[in-house]
Amino acid sequence: MRGFRVRRALAAAAVALAAVLGAGGWAAGTQTPLTGPPPGSAAWTADASLGLRLPDPATATPAGVAAFFAGLAPARQDALAVRHPLVVGNLDGAPVPLRYRANALALAAERTRELARAVDPALTPQDHAAARTRAERYRTLLDGGRQVLAFDPRGRGQVAEVYGDLTGAARTAVIVPGSDIDLLSFDRAGNPYGTPAGMARALHEATGRQVAVIAWAGYTTPVGLGPDAATEDLARAGADRLTRLLDGLAATTRPQAPATVYCHSYGSVVCGLARPSPARASGVVVLGSPGMGVGSAADLDPRVPLWATARNGSDWIGDVPNVRLFGLGHGADPTAPGFGARPLPATGSHGHNGYFAPGTDSLAAYAAVALGRA
């Protein structure tokens, strides 16, 4: 009997692997998650210009960061943003408008650096092309008064953008994306509703612009359908960063309720491992989910409502078995009746990335959840 169970487990793992391979091909290599404090933290902690000890980005809580900035006059806050834009712009707990200003400064500085790299004779033509791409990316993020809540140029790059009035809105929401999202792709025009920016814009509009929505590309996502997408390593690192983001919102904004978190595809694994508490989230919504890294809704905080979107018939994620064996797979299907999530409709949606498309029942349901009317 024991041998049969082992053979059955191995067979299930092989099926899951085959499904991933068949869905899009096994991506070579793995991603190294971006963790730790923001770039420039060493210079920040060594800065004694204000005669104060600055909070250590590696150890200070968002609540502690918020308390520190609350004790500073606006001019002193601004001086820190000018001297340390990459730290202030990524420091959860810092005032939201100050982070917008710091990130605009950081984007402008990084754009100047990439423009110089684009003509550096010591670099290759490939390096020049990559620098031009990055410089153009930074230019678009500087255009039109965009509200950039976080910006980190390291690695594939990370960014978070706000749609609406984050400090004044009665309700807020956060979009947590799945694979293949980074600084260059988080708002790609060719796939608008498969990106956190497109999802955030659609949700903001669907709520009559009453809900401030954060498009959060703030963790290292898997690339392609490979080892990273089938395991939880990146999700664990992302869960820590998501928790810190939610703590920062709780410390710096005063909505009627904590944020509602919308978790797409691999992002639902991030949300499951984060296990947000009522102080951090008023609800969690998963869509196109391969599983949440938990056995059922009972493994999450029961005080935080969980909604699962019905899977449309053209979503390829339905071909991935819901197993969790030997570190492979993400567990039970959140849309299954026995999982314990509240169901949301998907009528009108198409494909893995169509759940936020205008006119779909899924988007209408997401808006109702965000507005507290579900």
Side-chain angles (χ1 to χ4, degrees), residues 315-338:
D315 185 347
W316 61 260
I317 203 75
D319 295 329
V320 177
N322 291 105
V323 298
R324 196 181 187 201
L325 295 166
F326 312 120
L328 180 70
H330 304 301
D333 181 358
T335 68

Side-chain angles (χ1 to χ4, degrees), residues 31-217:
Q31 301 292 303
T32 300
L34 191 60
T35 59
S41 291
W44 161 273
T45 54
D47 189 340
S49 61
L50 297 185
L52 299 170
R53 184 176 181 178
L54 306 184
D56 186 346
T59 59
T61 65
V65 171
F68 169 79
F69 277 99
L72 292 182
R76 303 186 96 191
Q77 293 183 10
D78 192 69
L80 288 176
V82 171
R83 282 201 297 277
H84 308 282
L86 281 170
V87 173
V88 174
N90 290 289
L91 200 56
D92 292 303
V96 170
L98 189 68
R99 291 181 67 175
Y100 293 161
R101 169 158 166 71
N103 284 316
L105 292 170
L107 283 162
E110 287 298 312
R111 180 171 183 265
T112 298
R113 189 177 75 85
E114 293 296 344
L115 288 173
R117 284 175 50 83
V119 294
D120 186 342
L123 300 179
T124 67
Q126 291 80 7
D127 292 331
H128 293 161
R132 288 193 296 271
T133 297
R134 284 260 177 160
E136 178 60 16
R137 165 81 289 196
Y138 301 151
R139 184 195 66 76
T140 62
L141 289 170
L142 286 165
D143 281 352
R146 296 175 71 167
Q147 300 177 133
V148 178
L149 186 67
F151 163 64
D152 190 331
R154 293 177 296 177
R156 289 161 52 205
Q158 297 181 359
V159 64
E161 184 176 11
V162 176
Y163 297 83
D165 182 359
L166 188 57
T167 58
R171 292 186 176 272
T172 59
V174 177
I175 305 294
V176 181
S179 298
D180 299 306
I181 298 296
D182 53 32
L183 180 68
L184 296 178
S185 63
F186 96 107
D187 61 349
R188 56 182 181 260
N191 184 20
Y193 305 115
T195 68
M199 295 177 187
R201 280 192 295 266
L203 182 60
H204 181 54
E205 293 295 329
T207 63
R209 302 187 179 185
Q210 297 180 64
V211 176
V213 187
I214 301 172
W216 184 70

Side-chain angles (χ1 to χ4, degrees), residues 6-22 26 321 323 325-326 328:
V6 170
R7 288 195 300 273
R8 185 175 63 181
L10 289 171
V15 168
L17 176 59
V20 171
L21 286 168
W26 192 257
V323 298
L325 295 166
F326 312 120
L328 180 70

